[in-house]
Amino acid sequence: KAGVTQTPRYLIKTRGQQVTLSCSPISGHRSVSWYQQTPGQGLQFLFEYFSETQRNKGNFPGRFSGRQFSNSRSEMNVSTLELGDSALYLCASSPGQGDYGYTFGSGTRLTVV
Amino acid sequence: AQSVTQLGSHVSVSEGALVLLRCNYSSSVPPYLFWYVQYPNQGLQLLLKYTSAATLVKGINGFEAEFKKSETSFHLTKPSAHMSDAAEYFCAVSSFSGYALNFGKGTSLLVTP
């Protein structure tokens, strides 16, 4: 079956702009999580959604937001981009209940110039 | 809060030698523990997970890990390294709810001929 699909793979944005990243989970998975990966901070949890509800949120400013749709697809949005937002953004999905193994997508590489 | 510490940011082994990647966890409740591998320009692939069943967990590609509560450790091993094992390895711990993963800083494995 198809894996976790993230679009786009690469993105270049200018400081101050906003960006929306998309994630399509594995069919049947109802939980979607987002992570930011940078060389300095490593992998950091952004937020997790299950059945359109945010169940958990990491320690990121309000410029970072997300949502999940009824078909479990998820988007994350970053407003007023800063240079430090340059990172690999990873999406992961899981069935959401009783199975704690997350399957990750290949990520979106965001570069802010 | 649950956290993991990976000892050694870089590990080098010869092809055919034992691979040992160290991970210690800190958790106030029985943890769920994971090992992921990341190849360049890719997402994370789940190698194995511990969810309080058997303490010796077997994963993909010949990897296994042993949960040792007395040592708060979850080290990853493979009897014989292959060149294709060269990658970044991440240990992670989740809360009981499983809604978020806290990752270690990662260990870069180099396999030499």
Side-chain angles (χ1 to χ4, degrees):
Chain A
K1 59 185 177 182
V4 178
T5 303
Q6 292 188 245
T7 56
R9 284 297 311 275
Y10 301 92
L11 207 48
I12 299 175
K13 289 287 188 178
T14 304
R15 273 182 301 175
Q17 287 186 314
Q18 74 165 14
V19 66
T20 299
L21 311 182
S22 179
C23 173
S24 294
I26 290 173
S27 178
H29 284 193
R30 296 166 64 189
S31 169
V32 173
S33 299
W34 290 89
Y35 292 81
Q36 181 195 65
Q37 185 177 26
T38 59
Q41 299 299 317
L43 283 153
Q44 293 185 285
F45 171 74
L46 282 156
F47 27 66
E48 189 262 358
Y49 289 87
F50 178 80
S51 292
E52 303 180 67
T53 299
Q54 186 181 90
R55 294 195 296 191
N56 202 0
K57 188 178 190 303
N59 189 26
F60 277 82
R63 299 185 297 107
F64 291 81
S65 63
R67 60 177 176 170
Q68 186 181 34
F69 303 95
S70 58
N71 61 358
S72 294
R73 191 177 69 83
S74 178
E75 290 181 346
M76 69 163 281
N77 183 278
V78 187
S79 62
T80 319
L81 283 166
E82 301 177 359
L83 295 179
D85 297 332
S86 295
L88 179 66
Y89 290 89
L90 293 164
C91 168
S93 76
S94 87
Q97 289 178 313
D99 184 325
Y100 303 103
Y102 283 93
T103 302
F104 282 79
S106 297
T108 293
R109 174 74 63 183
L110 172 65
T111 302
V112 182
V113 298
Chain B
Q2 287 81 358
S3 65
V4 292
T5 301
Q6 291 183 242
L7 303 176
S9 57
H10 293 83
V11 170
S12 181
V13 300
S14 299
E15 190 175 18
L18 171 72
V19 175
L20 171 60
L21 304 182
R22 301 177 188 273
C23 174
N24 288 91
Y25 68 89
S26 171
S27 175
S28 58
V29 297
Y32 294 87
L33 293 159
F34 307 82
W35 275 100
Y36 283 87
V37 62
Q38 185 177 35
Y39 298 98
N41 298 316
Q42 293 189 27
L44 302 173
Q45 181 182 15
L46 179 65
L47 285 174
L48 48 81
K49 62 182 177 183
Y50 168 77
T51 56
S52 76
T55 56
L56 182 61
V57 183
K58 295 188 182 298
I60 63 171
N61 301 339
F63 286 95
E64 63 180 37
E66 185 172 7
F67 174 75
K68 291 187 176 181
K69 184 177 180 179
S70 61
E71 299 177 8
T72 61
S73 69
F74 190 58
H75 301 332
L76 182 71
T77 61
K78 182 174 181 178
S80 177
H82 295 165
M83 297 296 291
S84 59
D85 294 327
E88 189 85 13
Y89 291 80
F90 294 93
C91 180
V93 63
S94 75
S95 62
F96 181 75
S97 67
Y99 298 165
L101 294 175
N102 292 324
F103 285 89
K105 294 292 187 185
T107 297
S108 178
L109 176 65
L110 174 66
V111 182
T112 58

